Amino acid sequence: MKIMEFDKKNEELVLKTESLNDLWALFNVITKDDEVSAQTHRRIVLKEGSKGERKPMRLKIKVESLSFHEFSNRLRIKGTIIEGPEDYVSFGSYHTLNIKIDQILSIKKEKWLKSELKRIKELSIFEKNFLMLIIAIETGLATIVLVSNFSNTRIATIKTTIPGKRYEQKYRNEAYEEFFSGITKIVEENIKSTKIDLIVICGPGNTREHFSKVIKEKLKDISLPPIENIHASSGTESAIIETLKSDKLTKLQNNVKIIQEVAKIEEIFKLFSTKPDLIAIGIKEISRAAERGAVKELFCADTLIRGVSTEKKLQIEDILNLVEQSGGKINILSSEHLTGQQIVDLGSLVAILRYKI
């Protein structure tokens, strides 16, 4: 993210996006009623009855909603037009800005918070997105999930009845063939449509090993990404978190945010069972700990800093500042990830303490 200008008096920041991580940061920083200005296109009808034409122009909108689209590399910001060429636009009408990488925009807030500016200024350690296609598989059941640095998306759950061993081997083979073919087709479609960095096949022994051989044979004519084969207890979505804890994947932790987060979440749950006094949950409890400089590491779900009331946002800002001043580490977790959802389930704000308070 390149900051081009910051007008402190008017609380307006001009910047240029440089990566997908920048778009993700903006998604968590821009909120309702902010004013965002950027170059865009808008369909203008110059002649009645015509379809009109798309004209380039610069518009400023008052933000109503945002959506992050990592696979099309854009941030969509919807709102009402408050500035633009009067000949072409009607003030108060709706428009959506499609913010892409290498685009200049300005953001005006009622008040820029210190934590918001810090998130804008800090360069992400993740230089690019890293996509893993994870297939959790057991006899007759497979769960296929696409995991990125920003989200995890369940692509499909495949169920097939596999006849028991008392049936003829022929029928078992046919059922397995149908089962594996369905999974392989989905894998092939995703490899062709998305740049997958790694395929992970996980699950109990025999089925996982069998499918690993099948996929390499059936997709030998296309360029397959590297494949990791990892033991897990099932073919359900719970096996995904289990697999992300695997020693085989720890080598990727510098590139894959969720692998780092899984390790941190594991530490939280371990402390819950061994030293519960070193865990604080919720704004009130964590605020008290932060005032005493006791917060070693803070975990905050992104939903707690995006789209909340000004009063609540200021409460979170105070906590973040106190934690930072005492040398504590701050982690903002995506609620679109399994790890972030675990933090949401715990109340959206969790802290590991240096000492019991």
Side-chain angles (χ1 to χ4, degrees), residues 38-98:
Q39 190 70 19
T40 185
H41 286 80
R42 186 170 173 86
R43 187 173 296 280
I44 304 298
V45 178
L46 298 174
K47 184 179 179 182
E48 189 175 343
S50 70
K51 292 183 179 179
E53 58 180 290
R54 288 174 60 80
K55 284 190 171 290
M57 62 186 70
R58 188 169 189 86
L59 295 178
K60 177 181 280 190
I61 64 172
K62 188 172 185 178
V63 177
E64 286 202 2
S65 63
L66 301 92
S67 55
F68 176 66
H69 299 260
E70 62 177 293
F71 297 113
S72 57
N73 291 349
R74 67 183 59 193
L75 173 66
R76 292 172 60 83
I77 309 173
K78 181 181 178 181
T80 53
I81 299 172
I82 55 176
E83 283 185 20
E86 295 182 9
D87 294 342
Y88 293 134
V89 299
S90 174
F91 298 140
S93 60
Y94 282 94
H95 184 78
T96 299
L97 298 173
N98 284 295

Side-chain angles (χ1 to χ4, degrees), residues 53-326:
E53 58 180 290
R54 288 174 60 80
K55 284 190 171 290
M57 62 186 70
R58 188 169 189 86
L59 295 178
K60 177 181 280 190
I61 64 172
K62 188 172 185 178
V63 177
E64 286 202 2
S65 63
L66 301 92
S67 55
F68 176 66
H69 299 260
E70 62 177 293
F71 297 113
S72 57
N73 291 349
R74 67 183 59 193
L75 173 66
R76 292 172 60 83
I77 309 173
K78 181 181 178 181
T80 53
I81 299 172
I82 55 176
E83 283 185 20
E86 295 182 9
D87 294 342
Y88 293 134
V89 299
S90 174
F91 298 140
S93 60
Y94 282 94
H95 184 78
T96 299
L97 298 173
N98 284 295
I99 307 300
K100 303 176 183 177
I101 296 169
D102 292 325
Q103 184 165 356
I104 295 173
L105 69 154
S106 70
I107 306 165
K108 184 177 180 180
K109 289 179 172 286
E110 184 178 332
K111 172 72 176 176
W112 273 94
L113 300 179
K114 181 182 175 183
S115 61
E116 292 171 333
L117 286 171
K118 184 180 178 183
R119 295 193 72 187
I120 291 292
K121 290 175 182 178
E122 285 185 344
L123 293 175
S124 172
I125 63 170
F126 304 102
E127 295 181 358
K128 67 182 186 70
N129 201 6
F130 191 95
L131 291 177
M132 292 188 291
L133 188 66
I134 303 182
I135 304 121
I137 185 169
E138 61 179 285
T139 302
L141 174 65
T143 304
I144 306 170
V145 177
L146 189 62
V147 176
S148 75
N149 276 338
F150 310 102
S151 65
N152 60 273
T153 306
R154 184 191 293 201
I155 296 170
T157 298
I158 298 178
K159 295 181 180 180
T160 302
T161 301
I162 306 295
K165 292 182 179 179
R166 66 181 180 275
Y167 291 87
E168 287 185 32
Q169 190 62 39
K170 171 188 174 183
Y171 297 118
R172 286 173 55 79
N173 290 343
E174 287 175 353
Y176 269 115
E177 175 66 25
E178 179 186 348
F179 179 48
F180 289 152
S181 292
I183 305 168
T184 303
K185 183 179 179 182
I186 292 173
V187 171
E188 182 178 10
E189 288 171 353
N190 278 274
I191 289 173
K192 288 181 177 179
S193 64
T194 311
K195 187 184 179 303
I196 305 293
D197 294 289
L198 178 68
I199 294 175
V200 178
I201 302 172
C202 60
N206 291 339
T207 306
R208 182 188 82 247
E209 296 291 349
H210 191 178
F211 179 67
S212 297
K213 293 175 183 176
V214 168
I215 194 173
K216 289 174 184 176
E217 175 60 30
K218 288 198 171 188
L219 300 182
K220 63 183 178 182
D221 294 331
I222 67 174
S223 180
L224 279 173
I227 298 176
E228 285 283 3
N229 199 314
I230 299 173
H231 175 79
S233 59
S234 71
T236 65
E237 194 163 6
S238 63
I240 306 300
I241 285 286
E242 184 183 341
T243 300
L244 291 170
K245 298 175 188 175
S246 165
D247 291 340
K248 281 191 175 183
L249 295 185
T250 55
K251 62 187 178 184
L252 299 173
Q253 63 182 353
N254 289 333
N255 295 320
V256 188
K257 185 179 180 183
I258 191 173
I259 293 177
Q260 295 182 6
E261 291 179 352
V262 164
K264 293 294 184 182
I265 299 298
E266 191 71 3
E267 183 181 356
I268 290 172
F269 283 110
K270 185 177 180 181
L271 285 172
F272 263 125
S273 60
T274 59
K275 299 178 180 179
D277 290 336
L278 293 183
I279 295 291
I281 296 177
I283 292 177
K284 186 176 180 180
E285 193 173 324
I286 293 175
S287 180
R288 187 163 60 95
E291 287 172 358
R292 301 183 183 188
V295 176
K296 176 184 176 184
E297 194 157 5
L298 182 70
F299 299 84
C300 178
D302 56 7
T303 50
L304 204 56
I305 58 173
R306 185 177 68 241
V308 296
S309 67
T310 301
E311 181 183 357
K312 196 166 189 178
K313 182 173 269 193
L314 289 173
Q315 283 182 303
I316 300 299
E317 170 76 358
D318 287 341
I319 291 172
L320 295 178
N321 288 338
L322 287 169
V323 171
E324 191 177 61
Q325 288 167 14
S326 64

